[in-house]
Amino acid sequence: MGLKMLVVDDEPLARSRVRTLLADCTEPTAEIAAEAANAAQAMEHLRRQAFDGVLLDIHMPGADGLALAQVIRTLPEPPPVVFVTAYAEHAVAAFELEAVDYLTKPVRLERLQTALARIEKSRMGRLGAGESEQEVLVIQDRGRTERVPVTEVLYFKAELKYITVRTAARSYILDGSLSDLEDRHGTQFLRVHRNALVSRRAVRALEKHFDAEEGEGWAVRLNGVEESLAVSRRQLSAVREALAS
């Protein structure tokens, strides 16, 4: 059985384009179970039947997509929402409303397929009752917005006015404060230096290290990346405790 989708867009051609793309999607497959041209029509459909996901435009007559998404969140069993819009500037607001993805028009088949996979994952997660919601970082990167699970982050490193967010796959740039990240995720991350936090689960080894500026000292190695990170004398005992635990 494919995903049963509600498509909400005031433009008939846009809905037709989505219908055509959905017909070509696989793993998971999907079908349009209902269409709506505005928020009021969408809510009528949502009251009458259950959907596996909603493909939602933002700019529409009357209540816009962001307002509709807020109402959807209040439903007893809210379906996952994917925003589909011509405007990239609303991505952060969309993810704050817990959207599972954000697609910009014209939508490509592979991006729609990725969004459907996220809907399926979210749906299965809801079926697995009791599973805690995954924390994510919303990162603006090269004109696109990405949701990076905090559990995938190996380290945060402050550099000039930005923070490097490193996963095993790649690096991102985040505009923020290392102290704020430590306050929010301190149970998962360990401060090893004034400019770095490392994932506690990724710490592999503590070793001697020579730095041209600071001289001989210590560095920590992490699973998943080749580079090591300097450990300050002040944080040395905490790193040793983390390795011993």
Side-chain angles (χ1 to χ4, degrees), residues 186-198:
T187 59
Q188 300 172 62
F189 291 85
L190 172 69
R191 185 176 284 272
V192 297
H193 197 278
R194 65 178 180 277
N195 68 353
L197 299 171
V198 302

Side-chain angles (χ1 to χ4, degrees), residues 57-59 66 83-95 102-105 138-146:
D57 189 20
I58 289 182
H59 289 276
L66 295 174
F83 284 97
V84 184
T85 177
Y87 303 91
E89 64 267 23
H90 301 295
V92 172
F95 285 128
Y102 188 97
L103 309 182
T104 52
K105 299 175 182 178
V138 178
I139 298 179
Q140 301 280 356
D141 184 63
R142 299 185 183 94
R144 60 183 292 181
T145 303
E146 294 201 34

Side-chain angles (χ1 to χ4, degrees), residues 61-227:
D64 66 11
L66 295 174
L68 176 56
Q70 287 180 321
V71 176
I72 290 175
R73 290 175 71 191
T74 67
L75 296 175
E77 295 184 11
V81 171
V82 170
F83 284 97
V84 184
T85 177
Y87 303 91
E89 64 267 23
H90 301 295
V92 172
F95 285 128
E96 287 175 349
L97 291 171
E98 299 177 359
V100 299
D101 210 341
Y102 188 97
L103 309 182
T104 52
K105 299 175 182 178
V107 177
R108 293 178 291 113
L109 176 61
E110 56 268 31
R111 279 295 288 122
L112 180 58
Q113 188 73 77
T114 298
L116 293 179
R118 289 176 175 171
I119 287 175
E120 175 72 2
K121 183 177 180 180
S122 175
R123 189 174 72 92
M124 297 306 293
R126 290 168 189 264
L127 292 176
E131 186 174 334
S132 61
E133 191 170 331
Q134 191 176 46
E135 292 181 288
V136 297
L137 300 169
V138 178
I139 298 179
Q140 301 280 356
D141 184 63
R142 299 185 183 94
R144 60 183 292 181
T145 303
E146 294 201 34
R147 289 162 60 90
V148 179
V150 172
T151 54
E152 292 183 9
V153 177
L154 300 176
Y155 68 75
F156 298 107
K157 188 175 182 183
E159 297 175 284
L160 298 177
K161 296 181 180 179
Y162 301 97
I163 293 173
T164 295
V165 180
R166 186 70 164 92
T167 67
R170 58 171 295 188
S171 295
Y172 301 87
I173 298 299
L174 179 66
D175 186 6
S177 159
L178 204 63
S179 296
D180 288 344
L181 289 169
E182 187 175 21
D183 289 342
R184 293 202 301 269
H185 310 295
T187 59
Q188 300 172 62
F189 291 85
L190 172 69
R191 185 176 284 272
V192 297
H193 197 278
R194 65 178 180 277
N195 68 353
L197 299 171
V198 302
S199 169
R200 293 177 183 271
R201 63 176 178 78
V203 175
R204 185 176 81 219
L206 180 66
E207 61 187 21
K208 284 285 189 179
H209 168 76
F210 181 81
D211 183 86
E213 293 183 3
E214 300 185 11
E216 188 174 282
W218 294 88
V220 66
R221 286 202 172 275
L222 306 174
N223 293 315
V225 289
E226 290 297 322
E227 66 265 31

